[in-house]
Amino acid sequence: MAGSSLLIAMMGNKGGTGKTTLAVNMAVGLMRRAPSALLDLDPQRSAWQWSRIAERAAHAAHVYECHGDVDEVVANLKERYQYVVLDCPPSVHARETRDALRLCDYALVPVQPSPMDLWATLSVVEAVSAARREHPRLKAYIVLNQLEAQTVLSRDIREVIDEVGLAVLRGDVRRRAIYRNAMAEGKTVFDMGGAGREAAAEIERLLTEVIAA
């Protein structure tokens, strides 16, 4: 499987964007397609903690911590999995984030419809541009996350974020309690039956768009 694996880094430059929740759900969504893993590079280890309470369902993603060299850990995972999601620290200055940008095929940046998220994204654009000088095939996209249809900023976010300098995925993720509820139970939206159907469809649309990009 080496050489055919796809590495997707979930990254940002501030906490509270829903990065880890999105990383966990995307990793499990990918597992439904092919062998997949999630590598927790965030010092908070939220994805790893989630995995400790997660039910070992047939489509549960394998979650790993990183002890030591990121390159070596990623190389080992690429030998075993078709898809590897890297949950990066919430800082573009962290060594793990820089390593992930150097190694990954895709960098996804969850952004909520808030001024602080938009401002923080400017540093991400700079980090991606720097990484592309050594890794020109790197693809980077903004994922609009936790949108609320009734708010003006959520409705206008695409127009505002066009000025940031990164492409925006067409699919977006709505603010839904089911994401929080599933994580609290050690599950993902794919395990929540009818209550998670719309959220699961959002994740599937994102995955299809990324894989086809």
Side-chain angles (χ1 to χ4, degrees), residues 42-54:
D42 191 331
Q44 296 183 21
R45 291 295 187 262
S46 298
W48 175 254
Q49 293 300 326
W50 168 84
S51 73
R52 298 304 85 198
I53 61 172

Side-chain angles (χ1 to χ4, degrees), residues 22 109-113 118 142-147 154 157-158 161 168-174 206:
L22 199 54
V109 186
V111 175
Q112 295 187 35
L118 293 173
I142 288 173
V143 180
L144 299 179
N145 197 26
Q146 300 191 28
L147 296 186
S154 285
I157 186 68
R158 287 186 180 277
I161 214 163
V168 184
L169 291 179
R170 295 187 301 275
D172 53 42
V173 178
R174 301 286 170 165
L206 284 178

Side-chain angles (χ1 to χ4, degrees), residues 22 25-26 173 179 189-190 199-207:
L22 199 54
N25 280 276
M26 291 186 73
V173 178
Y179 286 104
V189 294
F190 295 99
E202 289 177 338
I203 300 298
E204 284 291 345
R205 284 194 292 270
L206 284 178
L207 294 175

Side-chain angles (χ1 to χ4, degrees), residues 1-192:
M1 192 174 295
S4 62
S5 298
L6 195 69
L7 269 63
I8 302 171
M10 302 296 300
M11 59 171 294
N13 204 39
K14 68 180 290 293
T17 62
K19 172 180 62 65
T20 296
T21 297
L22 199 54
V24 166
N25 280 276
M26 291 186 73
V28 171
L30 288 167
M31 186 67 186
R32 295 160 61 89
R33 301 168 183 233
S36 303
L38 174 62
L39 178 59
D40 193 346
L41 299 175
D42 191 331
Q44 296 183 21
R45 291 295 187 262
S46 298
W48 175 254
Q49 293 300 326
W50 168 84
S51 73
R52 298 304 85 198
I53 61 172
E55 294 181 355
R56 293 301 178 187
H59 296 300
H62 299 109
V63 181
Y64 296 87
E65 290 184 287
C66 185
H67 299 290
D69 183 68
V70 174
D71 292 60
E72 182 178 352
V73 174
V74 168
N76 289 334
L77 292 177
K78 288 177 67 177
E79 293 286 342
R80 302 166 56 192
Y81 297 98
Q82 183 169 339
Y83 299 110
V84 181
V85 178
L86 311 176
D87 186 23
C88 299
S91 169
V92 296
H93 304 294
R95 175 183 58 81
E96 296 88 349
T97 302
R98 295 197 302 269
D99 288 342
L101 278 173
R102 178 170 49 80
L103 297 169
C104 71
D105 302 291
Y106 296 93
L108 302 185
V109 186
V111 175
Q112 295 187 35
S114 77
M116 287 187 294
D117 275 51
L118 293 173
W119 297 332
T121 304
L122 297 177
S123 297
V124 178
V125 175
E126 294 174 1
V128 168
S129 297
R132 279 176 170 160
R133 287 195 283 271
E134 298 182 12
H135 184 9
R137 291 182 296 176
L138 170 65
K139 298 180 180 180
Y141 300 94
I142 288 173
V143 180
L144 299 179
N145 197 26
Q146 300 191 28
L147 296 186
E148 298 177 271
Q150 68 272 25
T151 66
V152 173
L153 190 52
S154 285
R155 292 196 302 269
D156 297 343
I157 186 68
R158 287 186 180 277
E159 181 177 341
V160 173
I161 214 163
D162 277 343
E163 302 176 8
V164 169
L166 283 183
V168 184
L169 291 179
R170 295 187 301 275
D172 53 42
V173 178
R174 301 286 170 165
R175 184 182 295 276
R176 302 181 192 274
I178 195 66
Y179 286 104
R180 298 188 298 274
N181 295 343
M183 292 290 287
E185 296 179 23
K187 299 179 180 179
T188 68
V189 294
F190 295 99
D191 306 308
M192 302 300 283

